[in-house]
């Protein structure tokens, strides 16, 4: 599970902002809160919803998480990041930091708490243009018996990389010489089969990239052929999708995969209709849901984290609540998977605990800031969050004029 995530000098984010998911000890024990397997005194939500005006930075924060997964796990992909748009920050580094738990040091022995930090430096060319980005700092630590212990540390491009024996290397291993200035050490060492680095890079990729609908500045979902292949290969998933779709559209009785012109197709049997409806003729909400559900199920079953942006445009608020509840329920989420998502559907607020809501807004300088609803002083648990949000108590309301 993810405990905290921080980023600075990235898009609309100037000073460091932190998404802190840890729940205060004064909060009650609820089914939607789970105890950390690596640090049992820490409780974490299975759902975190970012709310705020258009352009406040919700997508930016989620995209930063995905970019961290990309940079840390895939050294073959070029590093492309845009800093906050000001003269003061143009050449300043972009910093990412994530703390969580994962089973990468000793597989089978349970998750370990870790902190991974990477800093991407910038420098101008002789003519004042943008020079190539480079990794100016990178650190991976864990906390055996609560004590911080370095696994890998890279302090500057020209300084030798420190590695502990737990990574599976010695300081003189030639594989360290293959780490290029513009590539992550973790991702590079994973490519040359260093066991602990490979497992951590896989964790970064799976958790922060695979079950996400963010690609660059756009959102996407699996295409129809991918969804059909998934439904055909997994009978349990097919039954789950059938149930989800039937709840979203009470007229749908069944979903079928059929052969047709140009390949396989999805069609839907409806109550009262004499023949089925193909996917392309279904409502926008049903089409959106069918393409979204594989990401939700993959997070619940495999990756442990879904990062979803702007999924509420075509979905009724009650259908969104169903998706959230699939993460909040211990029955449907026995593996403590988490969902991080942005939303403009303020009607969701009355279905959420204050520890599950995070407000994103911009200050007067145009920089994004983030805080939890739990940080709002005097906000009681027995009040409707929707009413408080609309009254401006939580902040994050759009300004007009």
């Amino acid at each position: 599970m993810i405990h905290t995530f921080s980023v600075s000098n990235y898009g609309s984010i100037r000073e460091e902002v932190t998404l802190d998911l840890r729940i205060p000890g004064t909060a009650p024990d609820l089914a939607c809160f789970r105890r950390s397997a690596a640090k049992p005194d820490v409780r974490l939500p299975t759902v975190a919803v970012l709310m705020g005006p258009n352009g406040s930075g919700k997508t930016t924060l989620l995209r930063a998480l995905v970019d961290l997964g990309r940079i840390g796990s895939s050294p073959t992909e070029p590093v492309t990041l845009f800093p906050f748009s000001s003269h003061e920050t143009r050449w300043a580094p972009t910093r990412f930091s994530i703390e969580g738990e994962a089973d990468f040091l000793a597989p089978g022995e349970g998750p370990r708490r870790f902190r991974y930090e990477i800093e991407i430096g910038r420098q101008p060319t002789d003519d004042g243009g943008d020079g190539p980005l480079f990794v100016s700092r990178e650190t991976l630590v864990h906390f055996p018996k609560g004590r911080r212990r370095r696994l890998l540390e890279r302090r500057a491009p020209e300084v030798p990389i420190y590695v502990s024996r737990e990574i599976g290397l010695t300081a003189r291993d030639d594989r360290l010489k293959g780490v290029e200035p513009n590539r992550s050490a973790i991702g590079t060492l994973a490519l040359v089969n260093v066991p602990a680095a490979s497992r951590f890079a896989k964790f970064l990729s799976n958790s922060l990239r695979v079950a996400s609908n963010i690609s660059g500045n756009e959102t996407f979902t699996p295409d129809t052929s991918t969804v059909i292949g998934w439904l055909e290969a997994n009978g349990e998933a097919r039954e789950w999708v059938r149930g989800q779709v039937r709840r979203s559209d009470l007229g749908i009785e069944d979903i079928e995969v059929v052969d047709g012109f140009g390949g396989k197709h999805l069609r839907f049997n409806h109550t009262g209709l004499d023949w089925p409806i193909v996917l392309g003729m279904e409502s926008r909400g049903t089409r959106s849901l069918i393409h979204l559900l594989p990401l939700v199920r993959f997070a619940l079953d495999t990756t442990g984290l879904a990062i979803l942006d702007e999924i509420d445009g075509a979905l009724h608020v009650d259908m969104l609540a169903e998706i959230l509840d699939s993460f909040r329920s211990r029955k449907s989420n026995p593996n403590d998977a988490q969902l991080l998502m942005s939303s403009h559907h303020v009607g969701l607020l009355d279905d959420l605990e204050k520890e599950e809501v995070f407000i994103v807004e911009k200050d007067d300088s145009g920089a994004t800031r983030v805080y939890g609803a739990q940080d709002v002083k005097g906000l009681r648990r027995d009040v409707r969050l929707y009413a408080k949000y609309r009254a401006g108590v939580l902040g994050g309301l759009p300004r007009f004029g």
Side-chain angles (χ1 to χ4, degrees):
M1 301 184 79
I2 303 303
H3 296 200
T4 66
F5 171 68
S6 300
V7 60
S8 63
N9 197 27
Y10 176 93
S12 63
I13 297 170
R14 183 175 57 189
E15 302 299 328
E16 181 179 83
V17 302
T18 298
L19 185 65
D20 189 344
L21 302 179
R22 294 170 298 181
I23 294 170
T26 54
D29 275 323
L30 302 174
C32 54
F33 301 159
R34 308 294 173 89
R35 291 202 176 272
S36 162
K39 199 171 187 296
D41 60 329
V42 170
R43 291 178 299 161
L44 302 159
T46 52
V47 166
V49 181
L50 307 182
M51 288 197 171
N54 290 323
S56 58
K58 300 183 299 296
T59 297
T60 298
L61 186 60
L62 295 179
R63 190 174 66 240
L65 259 172
V66 176
D67 267 345
L68 172 58
R70 176 177 62 87
I71 293 166
S73 66
S74 301
T76 57
E77 295 185 28
V79 176
T80 54
L81 299 171
F82 295 98
F84 185 80
S85 298
S86 76
H87 292 296
E88 293 79 8
T89 57
R90 181 176 180 182
W91 305 116
T94 294
R95 297 185 177 95
F96 302 93
S97 175
I98 187 169
E99 184 172 320
E101 53 198 69
D103 183 7
F104 67 95
L105 275 181
E109 293 185 6
R112 309 274 187 100
R113 186 163 65 102
F114 72 86
R115 177 183 289 272
Y116 178 62
E117 300 175 355
I118 191 165
E119 179 181 279
I120 307 301
R122 299 177 173 84
Q123 59 184 3
T125 59
D126 292 340
D127 60 1
D130 294 328
L133 301 178
F134 60 94
V135 178
S136 51
R137 183 172 173 269
E138 185 176 7
T139 306
L140 176 62
V141 303
H142 71 136
F143 300 87
K145 297 182 180 180
R147 296 192 297 269
R148 182 181 184 276
R149 180 179 295 173
R150 290 182 302 167
L151 295 168
L152 177 146
E153 185 172 27
R154 180 184 191 180
R155 292 176 295 185
E158 69 280 358
V159 176
I161 298 172
Y162 167 84
V163 290
S164 74
R165 291 189 177 274
E166 293 164 293
I167 285 287
L169 290 177
T170 64
R172 297 181 181 180
D173 196 300
D174 286 341
R175 285 175 286 184
L176 290 170
K177 298 176 182 177
V179 179
E180 299 179 8
N182 61 338
R183 312 292 184 188
S184 77
I186 287 292
T188 302
L189 295 177
L191 283 181
V192 293
N193 302 316
V194 176
S198 296
R199 291 190 291 268
F200 188 72
K202 183 178 180 180
F203 163 79
L204 288 177
S205 180
N206 281 351
S207 297
L208 305 183
R209 302 183 70 190
V210 173
S212 170
N213 70 337
I214 299 172
S215 178
N217 291 324
E218 304 295 331
T219 60
F220 77 100
T221 49
D223 59 30
T224 302
S225 62
T226 300
V227 174
I228 289 174
W230 175 64
L231 292 174
E232 285 193 305
N234 191 327
E236 184 182 347
R238 187 165 58 251
E239 290 301 315
W240 179 76
V241 168
R242 181 180 288 116
Q244 295 293 320
V245 172
R246 290 179 67 178
R247 278 193 288 275
S248 74
D249 185 330
L250 299 181
I252 295 177
E253 294 181 335
D254 200 5
I255 307 172
E256 298 177 302
V257 177
V258 297
D259 291 313
F261 180 76
K264 299 193 177 208
H265 300 271
L266 280 176
R267 67 184 189 186
F268 300 77
N269 298 319
H270 285 255
T271 302
L273 300 185
D274 293 332
W275 51 80
I277 305 297
V278 296
L279 178 62
M281 297 299 294
E282 283 290 347
S283 69
R284 183 173 170 228
T286 297
R287 298 197 311 269
S288 297
L289 183 63
I290 280 290
H291 290 91
L292 176 67
L293 287 177
L295 297 178
V296 171
R297 185 62 188 243
F298 201 48
L300 290 169
D301 291 347
T302 305
T303 68
L305 179 67
I307 302 173
L308 303 177
D309 184 38
E310 297 180 352
I311 65 172
D312 50 11
L315 298 181
H316 189 276
V317 64
D318 289 342
M319 193 62 241
L320 279 176
E322 284 274 346
I323 292 174
L324 268 62
D325 283 345
S326 67
F327 284 85
R328 300 172 89 216
S329 165
R330 291 191 182 276
K331 182 178 180 181
S332 57
N333 183 16
N335 300 319
D336 298 341
Q338 291 172 297
L339 167 64
L340 306 183
M341 61 171 281
S342 65
S343 179
H344 292 122
H345 242 318
V346 295
L348 281 175
L349 285 167
D350 282 345
D351 294 321
L352 297 171
E353 301 295 333
K354 61 182 180 179
E355 293 82 5
E356 298 174 312
V357 177
F358 293 84
I359 304 300
V360 184
E361 59 185 13
K362 284 184 175 177
D363 62 22
D364 292 338
S365 71
T368 292
R369 70 187 192 108
V370 181
Y371 56 92
Q374 64 182 353
D375 300 323
V376 176
K377 291 184 178 180
L379 184 64
R380 301 197 317 270
R381 189 170 302 280
D382 59 348
V383 300
R384 292 180 59 221
L385 291 181
Y386 172 81
K388 291 295 184 182
Y389 178 77
R390 296 301 301 163
V393 173
L394 303 185
L397 287 173
R399 302 181 210 170
F400 300 98

